[in-house]
Structures are given as C-alpha cells and as structure tokens.
Amino acid sequence: MSEQQNHITVVDENGNEQLCEILHTFDSEEFGKSYVLYSLVGAEEDEDGAVEIFASAFVPADNGEDGELTPIETEAEWDLIEEVLNQIEDELGEEE
C-alpha cells in the first residue's frame, strides 16, 4: 500500500482542503455503504492523548479514482460506527 493511499483530502465547510490520515475503513452490508474513519494530519492530541476521529460514508468511484465522502445520516449508522470504533479500541488495548 503506497503512502498516498493512507491519506485523503477532505474539504471542510469553508472550502479549505485538509489532509487526513485514514485510520480504518469498513463495509456495511446492512446499509450497503462503505465507511472511513480518519483524523486530521498533524492534529493536536488532547490531555488524554487522543485525537478527534471523524467518520464519513464513502462512495468509491467506478474508475478506481478518488471516491466521494458523504455525511452519516442516521442514528443507526452512528451506532454502527461507534461499535466498530469500540472494537478497534479493544483490539489496540489487547496489543499493549
């Protein structure tokens, strides 16, 4: 996997491009979507050593180029994302 594939560029509500690091991607058959969890490159850690994690639905482009990020729209989708985040945290905790 090349370095480029670990990063995405996200345009914020002000039209500014932000380079983000992809933390995890997963698919949901239930919602028929792919999801990406990411954080801003160079984000400051809070006092607990954590960085803010963002989540978006992801629609891959047909030609393999960059796809499109879309907002998460339902409470059920947020519940799924929270579940996946908790699983990742559990796995990371077991490795330490």
Side-chain angles (χ1 to χ4, degrees):
M1 185 183 249
S2 75
E3 180 125 303
Q4 192 61 38
Q5 291 175 312
N6 283 339
H7 293 89
I8 54 174
T9 301
V10 177
V11 179
D12 67 16
E13 61 273 3
N14 300 323
N16 300 317
E17 289 189 356
Q18 305 257 345
L19 185 63
C20 297
E21 180 178 4
I22 297 172
L23 304 173
H24 187 70
T25 58
F26 64 98
D27 299 321
S28 167
E29 288 181 16
E30 180 183 352
F31 298 109
K33 294 180 183 176
S34 298
Y35 296 91
V36 59
L37 305 175
Y38 56 94
S39 64
L40 297 177
V41 168
E44 300 274 322
E45 292 183 351
D46 64 18
E47 60 272 2
D48 298 325
V51 294
E52 189 174 3
I53 295 176
F54 300 93
S56 292
F58 177 69
V59 182
D62 293 338
N63 59 5
E65 295 288 313
D66 292 343
E68 184 181 340
L69 295 177
T70 58
I72 297 186
E73 296 165 349
T74 67
E75 203 61 44
E77 286 178 280
W78 279 117
D79 290 345
L80 170 70
I81 286 163
E82 202 169 301
E83 203 175 292
V84 169
L85 266 174
N86 289 337
Q87 286 173 351
I88 294 168
E89 287 175 358
D90 288 348
E91 287 170 17
L92 289 175
E94 288 169 14
E95 287 176 12
E96 290 178 7

